Amino acid sequence: MPENPSRPSKQSLRFVRAREAQACAVMEDYVEMIGDLIAELGEARTADIAERMGVAHPTATKAIARLKREGLAVSRPYRGVFLTEEGEAMAHRVRARHRSVVELLVAVGVPRETAEIDAEGIEHHVSQQTLAAFDKYLAGKE
Amino acid sequence: MPENPSRPSKQSLRFVRAREAQACAVMEDYVEMIGDLIAELGEARTADIAERMGVAHPTATKAIARLKREGLAVSRPYRGVFLTEEGEAMAHRVRARHRSVVELLVAVGVPRETAEIDAEGIEHHVSQQTLAAFDKYLAGKE
DNA sequence: TCTTAAGTTTAGCCTTGGCTAAATAAATTT
DNA sequence: AAATTTATTTAGCCAAGGCTAAACTTAAGA
C-alpha cells in the first residue's frame, strides 16, 4: 500500500498540520469570543456571539452545540453560554497568543489595524515553538 | 434589521476576512504544488499531487476539478494537469509570499523547520500590507 | 394578564474538503 | 495481442460551517 494518508510523507506533513490547525480555529475563535463577552457583559448570548463573529444566529447556535459536545462550554436552553474550566483555559491561551501575534506584527512594521485583522487568521497556525520565538523576540526589544 | 451578515459590523470584520482567506487557501496550495511538480517533473499527475498534499486521490481529483472550474488549471481526462496563465500567476504570487513568511519567521528567531511548517498555514492570512512590511523588514536586515 | 416583541432553537438546504470502494482507462509485461 | 498492473475517475458517504425560514420561549408593554 504505497498510499496511506494516516502516515503522511515528509513532504505532506505541513499540509496535514495546517489542516489540523484549521479544524480547531473556529472553536478557538468562539471560545475566545464567549470569554470576551462574559468579561464585558457578564454573560454571552447567542445573538451577541453571532453578531461579533459575523455569522447568522443559527450558525452560532450550531457552533455552541459543538463547543458543548466537546466539553468547552455549557448552557441551558434559551439561556446564556458559559465556559467550562477547559474552555476558560483555552480562551486564556488563545487570547495570549493573539496578543503576541499582533505585537510581533507591529514590531516588524505592520500597521496596528492591519495586524489586528491578519492576526485573526494567522494565530491559529502559530505553534508553541513559534510563539516562544515571538515572545523572546518581543522581550528582547525592550 | 439590526443583523445583516452581508454588511458586517466593525467588530466582526476580521473574522469575515479570515474566513474569506481560508476559502482561498486550499486552491492556493494546490496551484503552488502543481507549479512545483511541473517545474520538477515536467507535469503534475493526480497521484503525485495527492501524495504531496497528504490526501487521497479522489480528494485531489475533486480539487483539480474545482481549479479547472475556476479557470486556474486545465487538463484532459487521464492526463496531467497544467496551469492557466492565471494559475501560473497565482502560483508565483503564492510562492513568493511563502518565501517571505518563512524568512520573516526565521529572522525573528523561529527554527527553520518549524518556520516551514507554520508558514503553510500562516501565509494564507498575510495581506498585501503585511507582506510589504515583511519584505521591508527583511530588506533592512538584508 | 395578555399581547406583542425579542431572542433562541430547529429544520432543512448548500458547498467544501475529507474518505473508501468500485469502475474505467492507460501503460506495461509477458 | 492479451493480460496484468497502474493510474484516474466516478459514486457515494460524512462532518463542518455557512445560510434562510419557521417554530418556539422568554421578556416587555399595554
Side-chain angles (χ1 to χ4, degrees):
Chain A
M1 70 257 357
E3 180 221 342
N4 180 356
S6 61
R7 192 184 49 71
S9 78
K10 190 79 187 289
Q11 270 271 23
S12 62
L13 217 195
R14 61 188 212 269
F15 293 105
V16 175
R17 288 282 174 79
R19 286 198 296 271
E20 285 166 0
Q22 195 52 40
C24 307
V26 176
M27 293 298 93
E28 290 178 345
D29 284 337
Y30 276 93
V31 162
E32 188 182 3
M33 182 58 74
I34 290 168
D36 287 350
L37 284 166
I38 291 171
E40 268 179 58
L41 310 174
E43 68 170 344
R45 288 155 57 224
T46 303
D48 293 336
I49 296 169
E51 200 282 328
R52 294 220 193 166
M53 294 298 298
V55 299
H57 304 130
T59 302
T61 302
K62 253 196 210 176
I64 293 162
R66 207 182 147 203
L67 290 181
K68 290 167 75 172
R69 179 154 38 92
E70 300 191 5
L72 295 165
V74 288
S75 76
R76 301 199 322 285
Y78 297 93
R79 244 62 250 222
V81 182
F82 298 91
L83 297 176
T84 61
E85 260 189 45
E86 197 188 337
E88 204 82 72
M90 179 186 270
H92 277 98
R93 217 181 324 123
V94 170
R95 205 187 323 278
R97 192 184 55 187
H98 180 83
R99 267 197 296 268
S100 292
V101 172
V102 171
E103 291 314 316
L104 183 107
L105 291 174
V106 170
V108 300
V110 178
R112 182 143 230 127
E113 201 172 341
T114 304
E116 275 294 345
I117 294 171
D118 288 14
E120 199 54 63
I122 290 173
E123 57 180 309
H124 303 289
H125 298 276
V126 170
S127 64
Q128 277 304 321
Q129 286 136 68
T130 294
L131 183 59
F134 283 9
D135 288 340
K136 192 171 163 195
Y137 178 87
L138 290 167
K141 279 258 153 172
E142 85 275 26
Chain B
M1 75 259 352
E3 181 221 343
N4 180 356
S6 61
R7 192 182 49 69
S9 78
K10 190 78 188 293
Q11 269 271 23
S12 63
L13 218 196
R14 62 188 213 270
F15 293 106
V16 176
R17 287 282 175 78
R19 285 198 297 270
E20 285 165 2
Q22 195 53 40
C24 307
V26 176
M27 293 297 93
E28 290 178 346
D29 284 337
Y30 276 93
V31 161
E32 187 183 4
M33 183 58 75
I34 290 167
D36 286 350
L37 284 166
I38 292 171
E40 269 180 56
L41 311 173
E43 69 172 342
R45 288 155 60 223
T46 303
D48 293 335
I49 296 169
E51 201 281 328
R52 293 219 194 167
M53 295 298 297
V55 299
H57 303 132
T59 302
T61 301
K62 255 195 208 174
I64 292 162
R66 205 180 147 203
L67 290 181
K68 290 167 75 173
R69 179 152 40 92
E70 299 191 5
L72 295 165
V74 288
S75 75
R76 301 198 323 284
Y78 296 95
R79 245 61 250 225
V81 182
F82 297 91
L83 297 176
T84 61
E85 259 188 45
E86 198 189 336
E88 204 82 71
M90 178 185 270
H92 277 99
R93 218 181 323 122
V94 170
R95 205 187 322 278
R97 192 185 54 187
H98 180 83
R99 267 197 296 267
S100 292
V101 172
V102 171
E103 291 313 316
L104 183 108
L105 290 175
V106 170
V108 301
V110 178
R112 181 144 232 128
E113 201 172 339
T114 304
E116 275 295 344
I117 293 172
D118 288 12
E120 199 55 62
I122 290 173
E123 56 178 315
H124 303 289
H125 299 276
V126 169
S127 65
Q128 277 303 320
Q129 286 136 68
T130 295
L131 184 59
F134 283 9
D135 288 339
K136 193 172 163 195
Y137 180 87
L138 290 167
K141 287 248 152 174
E142 79 261 46

